[in-house]
Amino acid sequence: MKKILAGVVFLLSTSAFVNAHAAGNIAAGEAATKKYACASCHGADFHSPIDPSYPKLAGQPQDYLQHALIAYQRGGDGPNGRSNAIMGGQAKALSHQDVQDIAAYLHSLPTTLVLRK
């Protein structure tokens, strides 16, 4: 019985670690946005882009941000890819962990975006 309980505790703790790691690290995401100069186009607060056609990133859903960055990595020819010369070049340099971290950071920022029903 003790072996089973120890196994269950191990699995739960391992699962929690993996899920926390996959969710992204906010501090590492902040560092990555500085490293890759994301604010130069999307604005210092990530809510005031330099061009109105650029998206406001602050507070966006984390899974959406992850999907968007991965789609830019795939490019326009890839499945569910996105084609944009600037973002394609920026996103290709990101590791999988960078994508997770950046998405976690941007999602954590305050926003004025609202959902309308």
Side-chain angles (χ1 to χ4, degrees), residues 4-62:
I4 293 173
L5 182 58
V8 169
V9 169
F10 173 76
L11 288 174
L12 290 175
S13 64
T14 303
S15 175
F17 171 76
V18 170
N19 287 336
H21 186 68
N25 180 298
I26 292 172
E30 181 178 14
T33 61
K34 290 177 182 175
K35 176 181 177 182
Y36 294 105
C38 303
S40 61
C41 292
H42 294 284
D45 60 357
F46 296 98
H47 187 68
S48 308
I50 63 168
D51 185 284
S53 68
Y54 297 167
K56 296 176 181 180
L57 300 178
Q60 290 280 6
Q62 187 170 343

Side-chain angles (χ1 to χ4, degrees), residues 72-91:
Y72 284 122
Q73 288 178 328
R74 289 182 184 137
D77 296 331
N80 297 318
R82 292 185 179 187
S83 180
N84 179 286
I86 296 170
M87 280 305 301
Q90 290 290 97

